[in-house]
CSV table of all heavy atoms in Angstrom, one decimal:
chain,number,residue,atom,x,y,z
A,332,VAL,N,167.8,103.3,102.6
A,332,VAL,CA,169.0,104.1,102.9
A,332,VAL,C,168.7,105.1,104.0
A,332,VAL,O,167.7,105.9,103.9
A,332,VAL,CB,169.5,104.8,101.7
A,332,VAL,CG1,170.7,105.6,102.1
A,332,VAL,CG2,169.9,103.8,100.6
A,334,ILE,N,169.0,108.4,105.6
A,334,ILE,CA,169.5,109.7,105.0
A,334,ILE,C,170.5,110.3,105.9
A,334,ILE,O,171.5,110.9,105.5
A,334,ILE,CB,168.3,110.6,104.8
A,334,ILE,CG1,167.5,110.1,103.6
A,334,ILE,CG2,168.8,112.0,104.5
A,334,ILE,CD1,168.2,110.0,102.3
A,337,ALA,N,173.8,108.9,105.2
A,337,ALA,CA,174.3,109.3,103.9
A,337,ALA,C,174.8,110.7,103.9
A,337,ALA,O,175.9,111.0,103.3
A,337,ALA,CB,173.2,109.1,102.9
A,341,ALA,N,178.7,112.1,103.3
A,341,ALA,CA,179.0,113.1,102.3
A,341,ALA,C,179.8,114.3,102.9
A,341,ALA,O,180.7,114.8,102.3
A,341,ALA,CB,177.8,113.5,101.6
A,366,VAL,N,165.0,106.3,102.6
A,366,VAL,CA,164.5,106.4,101.2
A,366,VAL,C,164.9,105.0,100.6
A,366,VAL,O,165.7,104.2,101.1
A,366,VAL,CB,165.1,107.5,100.4
A,366,VAL,CG1,164.8,108.9,100.9
A,366,VAL,CG2,166.7,107.3,100.2
A,367,TRP,N,164.3,104.7,99.4
A,367,TRP,CA,164.7,103.6,98.6
A,367,TRP,C,165.8,104.0,97.8
A,367,TRP,O,165.8,105.1,97.1
A,367,TRP,CB,163.5,103.2,97.7
A,367,TRP,CG,162.5,102.2,98.3
A,367,TRP,CD1,161.2,102.5,98.7
A,367,TRP,CD2,162.7,100.9,98.7
A,367,TRP,NE1,160.6,101.5,99.2
A,367,TRP,CE2,161.5,100.4,99.3
A,367,TRP,CE3,163.8,100.0,98.7
A,367,TRP,CZ2,161.3,99.1,99.7
A,367,TRP,CZ3,163.6,98.7,99.2
A,367,TRP,CH2,162.4,98.3,99.6
A,368,GLY,N,166.9,103.1,97.6
A,368,GLY,CA,167.9,103.5,96.7
A,368,GLY,C,169.2,102.8,96.9
A,368,GLY,O,169.2,101.8,97.5
A,369,ASP,N,170.2,103.4,96.4
A,369,ASP,CA,171.6,102.9,96.4
A,369,ASP,C,172.4,103.8,97.3
A,369,ASP,O,172.6,105.0,96.9
A,369,ASP,CB,172.2,102.8,95.0
A,369,ASP,CG,173.6,102.2,95.0
A,369,ASP,OD1,174.5,102.8,95.5
A,369,ASP,OD2,173.8,101.1,94.4
A,370,ASP,N,172.9,103.3,98.4
A,370,ASP,CA,173.6,104.2,99.4
A,370,ASP,C,174.8,104.8,98.8
A,370,ASP,O,175.1,106.1,99.0
A,370,ASP,CB,174.0,103.3,100.6
A,370,ASP,CG,174.7,104.1,101.7
A,370,ASP,OD1,174.1,104.9,102.3
A,370,ASP,OD2,176.0,104.0,101.7
A,371,GLU,N,175.6,104.1,98.0
A,371,GLU,CA,176.8,104.7,97.4
A,371,GLU,C,176.5,105.8,96.5
A,371,GLU,O,177.2,106.8,96.5
A,371,GLU,CB,177.6,103.6,96.7
A,371,GLU,CG,178.9,104.0,96.1
A,371,GLU,CD,179.7,102.9,95.4
A,371,GLU,OE1,179.3,101.8,95.5
A,371,GLU,OE2,180.6,103.2,94.6
A,372,LEU,N,175.5,105.6,95.6
A,372,LEU,CA,175.2,106.6,94.6
A,372,LEU,C,174.6,107.9,95.3
A,372,LEU,O,174.9,109.0,94.9
A,372,LEU,CB,174.2,106.1,93.6
A,372,LEU,CG,174.7,105.1,92.6
A,372,LEU,CD1,173.5,104.7,91.7
A,372,LEU,CD2,175.8,105.8,91.7
A,373,LEU,N,173.8,107.7,96.4
A,373,LEU,CA,173.3,108.8,97.1
A,373,LEU,C,174.4,109.6,97.8
A,373,LEU,O,174.3,110.8,97.8
A,373,LEU,CB,172.2,108.3,98.1
A,373,LEU,CG,170.9,107.9,97.5
A,373,LEU,CD1,169.9,107.4,98.5
A,373,LEU,CD2,170.2,109.0,96.7
A,374,VAL,N,175.3,109.0,98.4
A,374,VAL,CA,176.4,109.7,99.0
A,374,VAL,C,177.2,110.4,97.9
A,374,VAL,O,177.6,111.6,98.2
A,374,VAL,CB,177.3,108.6,99.7
A,374,VAL,CG1,178.6,109.4,100.2
A,374,VAL,CG2,176.6,108.1,101.0
A,375,THR,N,177.4,109.8,96.8
A,375,THR,CA,178.1,110.5,95.7
A,375,THR,C,177.4,111.8,95.3
A,375,THR,O,178.0,112.9,95.1
A,375,THR,CB,178.2,109.6,94.5
A,375,THR,OG1,179.0,108.5,94.8
A,375,THR,CG2,178.9,110.3,93.3
A,376,ALA,N,176.0,111.7,95.1
A,376,ALA,CA,175.2,112.9,94.7
A,376,ALA,C,175.3,114.0,95.8
A,376,ALA,O,175.5,115.1,95.4
A,376,ALA,CB,173.8,112.4,94.5
A,377,LEU,N,175.2,113.6,97.0
A,377,LEU,CA,175.2,114.6,98.1
A,377,LEU,C,176.6,115.2,98.2
A,377,LEU,O,176.8,116.4,98.5
A,377,LEU,CB,174.8,113.9,99.4
A,377,LEU,CG,173.3,113.5,99.5
A,377,LEU,CD1,173.1,112.7,100.8
A,377,LEU,CD2,172.4,114.8,99.5
A,378,ARG,N,177.6,114.4,98.1
A,378,ARG,CA,179.0,114.9,98.1
A,378,ARG,C,179.2,115.9,97.0
A,378,ARG,O,179.8,117.0,97.3
A,378,ARG,CB,180.0,113.7,98.0
A,378,ARG,CG,181.4,114.2,97.9
A,378,ARG,CD,182.4,112.9,97.8
A,378,ARG,NE,182.1,112.1,96.7
A,378,ARG,CZ,182.5,112.4,95.4
A,378,ARG,NH1,183.2,113.5,95.2
A,378,ARG,NH2,182.2,111.5,94.4
A,407,ILE,N,166.0,116.6,100.4
A,407,ILE,CA,167.4,116.9,101.0
A,407,ILE,C,167.9,118.1,100.2
A,407,ILE,O,168.1,118.1,99.0
A,407,ILE,CB,168.4,115.8,100.8
A,407,ILE,CG1,167.7,114.5,101.2
A,407,ILE,CG2,169.6,116.0,101.5
A,407,ILE,CD1,168.5,113.2,100.6
A,452,VAL,N,171.6,110.5,89.2
A,452,VAL,CA,171.3,109.7,90.4
A,452,VAL,C,169.9,109.9,90.8
A,452,VAL,O,169.2,108.9,91.1
A,452,VAL,CB,172.3,110.1,91.5
A,452,VAL,CG1,171.8,109.6,92.9
A,452,VAL,CG2,173.7,109.7,91.3
A,456,HIS,N,166.8,107.0,90.8
A,456,HIS,CA,166.0,106.7,92.0
A,456,HIS,C,164.5,107.1,91.8
A,456,HIS,O,163.8,107.2,92.8
A,456,HIS,CB,166.6,107.5,93.2
A,456,HIS,CG,167.9,106.9,93.7
A,456,HIS,ND1,169.1,107.0,93.1
A,456,HIS,CD2,168.1,106.1,94.8
A,456,HIS,CE1,170.0,106.4,93.8
A,456,HIS,NE2,169.4,105.8,94.8
A,474,LEU,N,167.2,117.7,96.4
A,474,LEU,CA,167.0,116.3,95.9
A,474,LEU,C,165.7,115.8,96.5
A,474,LEU,O,165.5,115.8,97.7
A,474,LEU,CB,168.1,115.4,96.4
A,474,LEU,CG,169.3,115.1,95.4
A,474,LEU,CD1,170.3,114.2,96.1
A,474,LEU,CD2,168.8,114.4,94.1
A,476,LEU,N,163.4,112.4,96.7
A,476,LEU,CA,163.6,111.0,96.5
A,476,LEU,C,162.4,110.2,97.2
A,476,LEU,O,161.9,110.6,98.2
A,476,LEU,CB,164.8,110.4,97.1
A,476,LEU,CG,166.2,111.1,96.7
A,476,LEU,CD1,167.3,110.8,97.6
A,476,LEU,CD2,166.4,110.8,95.2
Side-chain angles (χ1 to χ4, degrees):
V332 179
I334 291 300
V366 299
W367 276 111
D369 182 295
D370 180 72
E371 182 181 348
L372 287 179
L373 287 177
V374 170
T375 298
L377 292 171
R378 175 177 58 80
I407 312 163
V452 169
H456 284 76
L474 265 177
L476 305 169

